[in-house]
Amino acid sequence: MKIKFLLLISLFPLICQGQVVRNLKQLSDRVNVTLSDGTLSIAPLSDNAVRIKFYKGAEDNLQELVFTSNVPTPAFKVQESATSVQLKVAKISVAVDKQSGKLSFFDATGKPLVNESAGSRKLEPGTIQGEPCFMVEQTFDSPANEAIFGLGQFQDGHYNLRGVARRLTQVNTQISIPFIYSSRGYGLLWHQYGLTDFNPADNAIALNKQEQAATGTQEAEVTTTAGTQKVSQNQSLYNGKFNVPQNGEYSLFLDLGDMGNRHFVSIDGKPVVDQSNMWLPPTVGALVQLTAGEHQVQVLCKSDNTPHLSWKAQSNTTTFRSPVAKSLDYVVFSGSADDVIAAYRTLSGNAPLLPQWAYGFWQCRERYSSGKQLVETIEEFRKRNLPVDVIVQDWQYWGNNGWGVPKFDEKNYPNPKEFIGKLHDLNAHFNISIWSNPDKNSDIGKEFVAKNRFIPNTKWLDYFNPDTRKDYWSVLKTNMFDNGVDSWWMDAVEPENDALKGEKTTFGIGDFYRLTYPYFVSKSVYEGQRATSDQKRVCILTRSAYLGQQRYGIINWSGDIGGTWDTFKRQIVAGLNYSVTGFPYWTTDIGGFFRPGRSQYTDEKYQELLTRWFQWGVFNPVFRIHGYMTETEPWKYGQTVEDNMRKALDLRYSLMPYIYSEAWQITKNGSTLMRPLVMDFSNDASALKYPYEYMFGKSLLVAPVTEAGVKDWKTYLPQAAAWYDFRTGEKLEGGKETVSTVSLDMIPVYVKAGTILPIGPKVQYATEKKWDDLEIRVYPGANGSFTLYEDENDTYNYEKGAFSTIRFVWNDKAGTLAIENRKGSYPGMLTSRRFHIVLVNGNGQKSIKTLDYSGKQMQLKLQ
């Protein structure tokens, strides 16, 4: 026994010497763990979120942009044992392995969430434009059954991102948000402002350019920041070969070096990447199955691109890498997707409520050419009983005032206050395109140049400078807002073509802040308008976004996409992955931005695509059509298309009480409107395999028709008590596929059992009629509740408590519907109303009971 004791004592120095952890220091808001190669900081941010930082020497931070909310540090405990250091808050804990320094994260029950892969933490010193920086990298274990979602909006078509290689840059059609959510019940926010690689593929494949161009000379007119330009569309072919060591799945990564128009990679003659559009992001990733040995590869791209192709063997890991950083920095959240997103928004800013009209239909095209034409278009919508709330003025309204100058051309838009007033008289709202690169030779441009308001050596305004933000808003206020402009379309805010690379801003070197430019553009207008008036809610349509930007009243759209069935399908997964990163408002150019030209008005094949896209748009957070050099008004496509669009519009507006109430849950509770199935059915492994279905709010399952010429459509109904066909009321079993007939005037929509669904009146604009005569549908089979929300529709008085709610509660066993006391009040609120209570029986039959409600609790027996 004595010999064993002496042996153990003699080993202590060896054990301590082998440890990575040297000591720890507990502070009021974190624990700092000294490792052999740096300092590891563990800071609880909320009861389900922990922030991890690793740095060498003194902590060197960039400005804090994301976590700006004043949230107190939650109570936490630190426990130390011989092998680990553990920090615990209410719903998440993190353990540091003393021997390896590896971190492991657990939920409140001790269930593992995610682990760092041992030895994978990297912090390698370097420089950028003479300033010290680090390449930072962290790899996490990812079991084979994990599904990963998020990273923003990409055009590569991937839904489950596990193992996919991506480069996070901001470019037209691509929005990079370094945030993922896992089916294992955690979220991970990679807190870097610069370029980031997700699952980087480092094995390069040598490519040889073929002398013969793959296609003939082509030129096309495209929209650029310098106006309509003819751009060469020549393409070139590259050949190469590579060896892989064993059979299995591999990740491919193509980097064109700049925006392209063709993503094409074939392996052994089989295409594995194949996409065309006028604009495509510089990079794209793919997953492929390969056998051991040599493979032939071909790449086709624009001739002025410089393609680089690489590969990586698939492994049970997920890696983040940022080449230009000050420290390694990330946050892990625990819980359901709703829990994670709510915590993220609590820390970074809630998404404000948009005006009610913004949830109606947006009529947009490239482009209206006069104030008179704008007014006449809305008049025609009203004559044809086609509901609409917003009309959009795209670019070049500035005439001779200079490119991108936010000032109306006096010839075609005389007296802006007058024509905007006419739009308001027609109960429509006006949105206008504004750009961040006003002509430096214009009057406004010269003034901005004199004040150093541009990023040096670029055409882009330096919104990092608070004085630039104030000056820009001042111009918008004088020329636009004071004339009645209701909302803003902020185009090319990436800035276009990743323009911060290699530049210097007011904050310093642009590479450190490469993803954040759109954040500051939105901040400029949001803060400017909020300081000007609280009677008109800020509503910004913008092409790019970064973490925290949701607090600035933004809607994102998917950029200058093509008008094909393949592109349509890609938008669905792009929108779902964007929404799960915490950004609730998103839309697309219905029908595609780039369209087939004049034939679109008569081509029945294109019109089928347009109709299906339009029907899907009903169930987007924001419902908007747009098209390049196109007259997008429904009547331009003939009576059949117009009638189908009218039916879709009527459906959207009938759901307005549901949509607006769900939007309130976004602002109040951090909810999400467009919901990938992982958000509500994370325990249903089958549901996670359906990329083109999703929940719209908590009650409606939407299954867009994404193929031409189909008469029947399969939909997977996730595991739930029951589902109901929205159109027929038929009751269906969950956990299996169902098939429905899909005529050209509808797409499949299903309602989850336990739903209480308010149906609004038929209207031509969102606020035409008060909700004093609502249909309330009850779908039995499970308990449920719904809170009907109402306010003044377009002021910020709701932030001061000027709103009302009515909560409905369905008790399935008792068969009773309780309508609780109305809570809250606001000027003009309804004091009494009529509800038509409809019990959907599931066999095509309905029972209806009508009651008058004056704000006092009522209970109704329905079964």
Side-chain angles (χ1 to χ4, degrees):
M1 189 68 173
K2 183 177 181 181
I3 294 174
K4 288 183 179 180
F5 177 76
L6 291 174
L7 180 60
L8 184 60
I9 291 293
S10 68
L11 286 174
F12 270 4
L14 295 176
I15 294 172
C16 293
Q17 187 177 8
Q19 286 187 173
V20 170
V21 173
R22 296 292 186 246
N23 58 60
L24 63 94
K25 183 177 182 180
Q26 183 171 340
L27 305 174
S28 62
D29 63 345
R30 71 190 64 201
V31 172
N32 284 343
V33 181
T34 303
L35 307 181
S36 57
D37 56 349
T39 300
L40 187 66
S41 171
I42 306 173
L45 299 184
S46 70
D47 64 0
N48 70 332
V50 178
R51 183 173 183 174
I52 307 300
K53 295 186 75 173
F54 180 65
Y55 53 91
K56 297 183 179 183
E59 186 175 1
D60 186 5
N61 294 322
L62 298 173
Q63 295 199 36
E64 181 59 74
L65 305 179
V66 180
F67 301 114
T68 58
S69 299
N70 187 20
V71 178
T73 301
F76 65 95
K77 295 180 180 179
V78 177
Q79 297 175 340
E80 184 178 10
S81 69
T83 59
S84 70
V85 176
Q86 191 169 47
L87 181 146
K88 291 185 176 181
V89 288
K91 297 179 181 178
I92 190 171
S93 64
V94 55
V96 186
D97 184 280
K98 285 187 172 182
Q99 291 298 119
S100 66
K102 182 183 83 167
L103 299 182
S104 300
F105 298 85
F106 307 87
D107 70 9
T109 68
K111 173 188 170 184
L113 294 171
V114 64
N115 302 323
E116 292 183 344
S117 301
S120 65
R121 187 183 300 132
K122 293 182 181 179
L123 191 69
E124 298 178 356
T127 60
I128 178 82
Q129 294 179 245
E131 183 172 333
C133 68
F134 292 94
M135 185 284 291
V136 298
E137 180 177 303
Q138 184 65 65
T139 298
F140 302 88
D141 295 341
S142 176
N145 64 349
E146 181 175 30
I148 292 173
F149 306 91
L151 291 186
Q153 169 198 283
F154 281 69
Q155 298 298 324
D156 56 21
H158 293 294
Y159 180 54
N160 180 355
L161 307 180
R162 184 180 180 274
V164 175
R166 279 183 170 174
R167 175 157 294 165
L168 275 61
T169 53
Q170 308 289 32
V171 293
N172 188 350
T173 75
Q174 178 172 296
I175 303 172
S176 294
I177 310 292
F179 193 131
I180 59 172
Y181 182 74
S182 166
S183 60
R184 290 171 58 83
Y186 71 87
L188 196 154
L189 186 157
W190 182 253
H191 193 248
Q192 298 292 341
Y193 305 152
L195 178 148
T196 291
D197 284 315
F198 180 75
N199 294 326
D202 294 329
N203 299 292
I205 301 172
L207 296 175
N208 300 307
K209 186 175 183 179
Q210 305 304 294
E211 294 300 323
Q212 181 75 26
T215 62
T217 300
Q218 300 174 9
E219 285 189 333
E221 288 189 348
V222 299
T223 302
T224 74
T225 55
T228 301
Q229 300 284 323
K230 287 188 175 181
V231 176
S232 171
Q233 301 296 295
N234 286 349
Q235 295 177 349
S236 295
L237 183 67
Y238 294 77
N239 290 330
K241 58 184 178 181
F242 66 107
N243 282 277
V244 296
Q246 59 190 24
N247 298 348
E249 187 173 51
Y250 290 81
S251 176
L252 281 185
F253 182 70
L254 175 64
D255 179 6
L256 300 178
D258 202 350
M259 294 287 285
N261 62 19
R262 189 82 163 103
H263 288 166
F264 181 87
V265 179
S266 70
I267 297 179
D268 302 327
K270 180 182 178 181
V272 295
V273 176
D274 190 358
Q275 188 182 12
S276 297
N277 188 41
M278 198 68 71
W279 305 118
L280 286 173
T283 61
V284 64
L287 295 176
V288 295
Q289 291 288 336
L290 298 174
T291 57
E294 184 175 273
H295 297 274
Q296 306 295 317
V297 64
Q298 287 190 321
V299 173
L300 185 65
C301 64
K302 273 178 65 176
S303 291
D304 58 0
N305 288 144
T306 307
H308 297 274
L309 189 65
S310 57
W311 63 272
K312 173 182 181 255
Q314 185 67 286
S315 62
N316 292 329
T317 60
T318 295
T319 299
F320 286 87
R321 176 193 294 166
S322 296
V324 179
K326 288 293 185 181
S327 64
L328 192 154
D329 189 352
Y330 67 90
V331 181
V332 175
F333 299 82
S334 172
S336 68
D338 280 318
D339 293 336
V340 167
I341 290 171
Y344 156 73
R345 292 208 201 123
T346 297
L347 294 166
S348 64
N350 288 328
L353 193 60
L354 300 177
Q356 189 179 143
W357 54 258
Y359 302 96
F361 178 62
W362 295 49
Q363 172 59 32
C364 184
R365 79 184 208 193
E366 199 282 315
R367 61 185 174 85
Y368 295 105
S369 57
S370 70
K372 181 174 180 287
Q373 190 181 36
L374 288 161
V375 173
E376 289 174 346
T377 300
I378 291 297
E379 288 175 338
E380 191 66 22
F381 267 87
R382 298 292 180 235
K383 288 177 184 176
R384 292 173 179 268
N385 292 318
L386 291 162
V388 64
D389 265 280
V390 190
I391 190 162
V392 182
Q393 175 62 58
D394 202 349
W395 64 337
Q396 298 196 57
Y397 56 83
W398 43 74
N400 294 324
N401 290 308
W403 166 263
V405 172
K407 187 176 181 180
F408 288 105
D409 168 26
E410 294 181 0
K411 178 182 177 182
N412 294 306
Y413 301 87
N415 196 347
K417 187 170 290 188
E418 181 181 3
F419 85 76
I420 295 173
K422 289 180 180 179
L423 293 173
H424 291 165
D425 291 342
L426 290 163
N427 298 294
H429 293 81
F430 184 52
N431 173 281
I432 192 162
S433 172
I434 54 176
W435 294 64
S436 298
N437 57 333
D439 184 357
K440 290 183 178 181
N441 293 315
S442 66
D443 292 342
I444 290 171
K446 289 176 181 177
E447 181 180 341
F448 283 169
V449 168
K451 292 182 176 181
N452 296 317
R453 299 301 188 237
F454 286 90
I455 296 172
N457 305 313
T458 79
K459 60 187 177 183
W460 301 102
L461 290 172
D462 187 355
Y463 293 101
F464 298 93
N465 183 344
D467 292 329
T468 302
R469 298 198 294 271
K470 291 176 183 177
D471 287 348
Y472 188 64
W473 169 251
S474 179
V475 171
L476 293 180
K477 179 182 181 300
T478 299
N479 293 341
M480 300 290 174
F481 192 71
D482 289 349
N483 285 318
V485 167
D486 299 297
S487 66
W488 316 96
W489 176 8
M490 309 181 88
D491 213 339
V493 294
E494 296 80 10
E496 198 160 65
N497 299 324
D498 195 18
L500 287 189
K501 181 181 179 182
E503 306 298 344
K504 287 193 175 182
T505 73
T506 298
F507 279 10
I509 292 171
D511 286 75
F512 283 114
Y513 295 93
R514 199 161 156 186
L515 301 182
T516 67
Y517 187 83
Y519 167 103
F520 287 98
V521 183
S522 295
K523 178 182 175 74
S524 170
V525 173
Y526 181 83
E527 293 183 345
Q529 185 175 325
R530 286 301 308 259
T532 301
S533 172
D534 65 356
Q535 297 304 297
K536 185 178 284 189
R537 295 177 194 167
V538 182
C539 184
I540 298 171
L541 179 67
T542 183
R543 204 170 71 184
S544 194
Y546 183 71
L547 293 161
Q549 196 172 330
Q550 78 282 343
R551 59 180 175 259
Y552 295 136
I554 67 163
I555 304 159
N556 278 95
W557 96 99
S558 58
D560 297 344
I561 54 174
T564 67
W565 285 97
D566 179 59
T567 302
F568 171 37
K569 292 178 68 173
R570 292 170 188 264
Q571 301 322 295
I572 299 171
V573 295
L576 293 174
N577 275 311
Y578 178 76
S579 295
V580 84
T581 61
F583 288 79
Y585 296 118
W586 182 86
T587 185
T588 70
D589 291 354
I590 290 175
F593 181 66
F594 295 112
R595 297 183 177 209
R598 298 298 304 175
S599 66
Q600 67 184 288
Y601 305 115
T602 55
D603 182 353
E604 292 184 359
K605 291 183 178 179
Y606 175 77
Q607 290 176 4
E608 181 183 2
L609 167 63
L610 178 64
T611 300
R612 292 305 191 196
W613 204 322
F614 198 87
Q615 291 165 340
W616 173 57
V618 170
F619 300 97
N620 279 200
V622 171
F623 185 17
R624 168 184 164 275
I625 197 168
H626 189 44
Y628 179 58
M629 299 179 69
T630 295
E631 297 177 354
T632 60
E633 294 78 17
W635 57 88
K636 303 292 185 179
Y637 297 88
Q639 195 63 51
T640 299
V641 173
E642 180 183 344
D643 289 344
N644 287 334
M645 286 186 171
R646 182 181 292 103
K647 186 172 183 178
L649 286 163
D650 286 340
L651 175 58
R652 172 72 176 206
Y653 280 84
S654 74
L655 293 172
M656 189 60 71
Y658 172 76
I659 293 169
Y660 198 53
S661 298
E662 287 287 313
W664 168 241
Q665 295 300 322
I666 290 170
T667 298
K668 180 176 181 284
N669 296 318
S671 188
T672 299
L673 192 53
M674 189 175 184
R675 306 169 62 82
L677 295 184
V678 70
M679 295 192 71
D680 298 288
F681 306 99
S682 60
N683 294 324
D684 184 346
S686 295
L688 305 187
K689 298 176 183 177
Y690 287 81
Y692 307 114
E693 300 176 17
Y694 64 96
M695 296 296 290
F696 186 64
K698 300 290 182 66
S699 298
L700 302 180
L701 176 69
V702 182
V705 175
T706 58
E707 295 176 12
V710 297
K711 298 187 183 302
D712 298 309
W713 195 250
K714 287 184 179 179
T715 303
Y716 177 76
L717 303 179
Q719 294 173 8
W723 294 89
Y724 293 81
D725 187 307
F726 177 79
R727 185 169 54 93
T728 66
E730 180 186 1
K731 188 176 181 180
L732 301 160
E733 186 180 347
K736 58 173 60 176
E737 282 190 340
T738 187
V739 179
S740 60
T741 301
V742 285
S743 55
L744 196 55
D745 64 347
M746 56 79 66
I747 62 171
V749 179
Y750 299 90
V751 188
K752 189 166 65 171
T755 288
I756 301 167
L757 183 67
I759 302 295
K762 187 172 183 177
V763 294
Q764 294 304 299
Y765 55 93
T767 59
E768 180 184 3
K769 298 176 183 177
K770 290 181 177 289
W771 298 341
D772 56 355
D773 198 47
L774 291 183
E775 178 181 320
I776 306 295
R777 295 183 188 174
V778 178
Y779 294 82
N783 293 334
S785 65
F786 181 82
T787 300
L788 181 70
Y789 172 85
E790 294 167 289
D791 63 15
E792 295 174 318
N793 302 322
D794 192 9
T795 76
Y796 283 103
N797 292 334
Y798 77 86
E799 294 181 342
K800 305 169 187 175
F803 62 87
S804 72
T805 59
I806 302 171
R807 187 168 182 259
F808 299 78
V809 180
W810 168 248
N811 184 316
D812 196 63
K813 184 176 181 181
T816 59
L817 178 70
I819 308 175
E820 297 182 351
N821 290 329
R822 182 181 59 233
K823 294 182 179 179
S825 65
Y826 62 93
M829 179 186 73
L830 288 169
T831 56
S832 62
R833 68 217 305 165
R834 180 162 291 177
F835 291 133
H836 304 279
I837 311 299
V838 177
L839 182 69
V840 181
N841 293 322
N843 56 6
Q845 302 296 316
K846 297 179 181 179
S847 61
I848 303 176
K849 294 186 179 182
T850 298
L851 57 86
D852 294 321
Y853 175 79
S854 60
K856 299 300 182 182
Q857 182 170 344
M858 305 178 73
Q859 184 163 299
L860 203 62
K861 180 75 173 176
L862 297 183
Q863 282 184 335

